[in-house]
Amino acid sequence: MLVACHDCDLLHHLGVIAEGATARCRRCGGLLRRRRRNGIERTVALALAAAVLFAVANAFPFLSFDMKGQVTQTTLVTGVLDLWRQDMPEIAALVLATSVLAPLLQISLLLYVLLPVHAGRVPWQMARAFRLLRHVQPWSMMEVFLVGILVAVTKLAGMAEVVPGLSLWAFALLIVVLAGAMSSLDPQEVWERLGVRS
Amino acid sequence: MSGAPRTGRAASCWTCHDCRLLCRVPAGAAHAARCPRCGAPLHARKPGSLERTWALVIAAALCYLPANLLPIMTVTSLGKAQSDTIMSGVVYLLHHGMWPLALVVFVASIFVPILKLVILVFLLVSVRRRSRWRPAERTRLYRVTEAIGRWSMVDIFVVTILVALVRLGALATIEARSGAVFFGAVVVLTMIAAESFDPRLIWDGCEEAEA
């Protein structure tokens, strides 16, 4: 099969790639293709786990803050609501998009495309959904949010007691699981499976 | 080197940006070509890549100053109000002995955005001058730029979490300030700028010089 490197446009003849192997451009080192063992099945399983963890992470407070007996708690969405109330709609929208909506869309699109593909069917508007997934990915920033939590907690440590909640652990696990789902996905394999059936 | 074409463009074969299928493009239908597999519009190179990246880089650079000079939040504790810029947040962490975190915030919020802008300007200028200097290293530099941009969001998230946690009426409140808006704009603009740049332009300059 003839492919061109996405980063430098050099043409390559790509033969059959073994499971677990990676093909790189010989001129610029760009990724041509990476295959995983049971890639689609593994991605589906991890995406399902991510969906459950996402629900838990958003349903419960992830931090509570105790200052002289007065307690406040925060979920992912309350921070956004407070910014909105403080007349910061741009920042509220940016935080909502990068910490809640993009990850939600990412998980939903993974399941929407891969569950039917796994069962040998083509979902409605598959190409559009799968393309959208690629565009959403850079805007899903939960791991950056976790570092933000770490910094915020450290800053408040001298001021009052900060207690991590259940959903913080779900959130941390979600980051690992979703990263695993994305790295075991080989888009080429998805397109090839569809090509055979349609 | 002569004989068989080395690049997709030389062979009139364009790679789909979305599904990466290599598509043969007939000479006449080039402007309206779409990927037969996924339906995305096809281009030999990202259209208007240099102009678009320049515009976004300049816009981001203009936002970079207010993002660093204006306060990003105001802490009111027991009636005393204090405004924080990004840099004063770093200094606060340093003063309290938390230098690993100070380093994280400094790198993510101050160093990475300026590094991204400098690298993108360097790449834009080197492509314009058809430079043949170390194309593989420049391509790697581009990949790094694309990957690190998201980490600049750390401080925006810190402000969000502080605002949500500290709202105890008379005891203490934290409010977001306009510096945060400019800072968010810098992050978003530099991310889109990196996405607009087409690294294949780096190699086109070398191909032309060889031909």
Side-chain angles (χ1 to χ4, degrees), chain B residues 141-164:
Chain B
L141 210 53
Y142 168 71
R143 283 192 210 114
V144 170
T145 313
E146 216 183 6
I148 57 175
R150 48 204 279 112
W151 288 96
S152 305
M153 280 289 281
V154 164
D155 249 30
I156 297 285
F157 290 141
V158 171
V159 172
T160 309
I161 296 157
L162 292 180
V163 161

Side-chain angles (χ1 to χ4, degrees), chain A residues 7 27 72 138 140 143 154, chain B residues 6 8 98 143 150 165 176 207:
Chain A
D7 286 351
R27 182 163 76 169
T72 46
S140 169
E143 74 279 25
T154 319
Chain B
R6 295 175 65 206
M98 292 174 275
R143 283 192 210 114
R150 48 204 279 112
L165 275 178
E207 299 280 334

Side-chain angles (χ1 to χ4, degrees), chain B residues 64-135:
Chain B
Y64 185 79
L65 276 184
N68 281 284
L69 296 176
L70 295 176
I72 55 165
M73 62 179 178
T74 300
V75 183
T76 312
S77 180
L78 302 166
K80 239 174 38 186
Q82 192 205 333
S83 288
D84 262 334
T85 59
I86 298 224
M87 198 61 209
S88 73
V90 174
V91 172
Y92 173 91
L93 287 171
L94 266 182
H95 273 303
H96 288 73
M98 292 174 275
W99 64 266
L101 276 185
L103 192 67
V104 168
V105 176
F106 177 79
V107 169
S109 310
I110 297 174
F111 189 64
V112 164
I114 202 84
L115 185 71
K116 270 191 81 166
L117 291 176
V118 169
I119 292 179
L120 283 173
V121 167
F122 166 69
L123 291 176
L124 286 166
V125 170
S126 77
V127 163
R128 173 73 60 182
R129 300 183 57 184
R130 312 226 177 283
S131 163
R132 295 175 61 187
W133 183 77
R134 294 175 179 241

Side-chain angles (χ1 to χ4, degrees), chain A residues 49-70:
Chain A
V52 174
L53 289 168
F54 184 85
V56 175
N58 281 281
F60 302 100
F62 63 84
L63 286 177
S64 47
F65 176 74
D66 187 340
M67 188 181 184
K68 296 179 180 141
Q70 291 208 41

Side-chain angles (χ1 to χ4, degrees), chain A residues 50-112:
Chain A
V52 174
L53 289 168
F54 184 85
V56 175
N58 281 281
F60 302 100
F62 63 84
L63 286 177
S64 47
F65 176 74
D66 187 340
M67 188 181 184
K68 296 179 180 141
Q70 291 208 41
V71 179
T72 46
Q73 292 187 318
T74 181
T75 62
L76 286 175
V77 182
T78 49
V80 173
L81 287 176
D82 284 321
L83 284 172
W84 184 271
R85 268 187 230 117
Q86 291 187 2
D87 209 20
M88 286 280 160
E90 303 91 348
I91 299 294
L94 184 60
V95 173
L96 185 69
T98 52
S99 68
V100 181
L101 295 183
L104 177 64
L105 198 56
Q106 201 181 4
I107 297 167
S108 312
L109 288 170
L110 273 175
L111 292 176
Y112 177 78

Side-chain angles (χ1 to χ4, degrees), chain B residues 11 35 93 138 174 187:
Chain B
C35 172
L93 287 171
R138 279 187 286 147
I174 293 183
V187 180

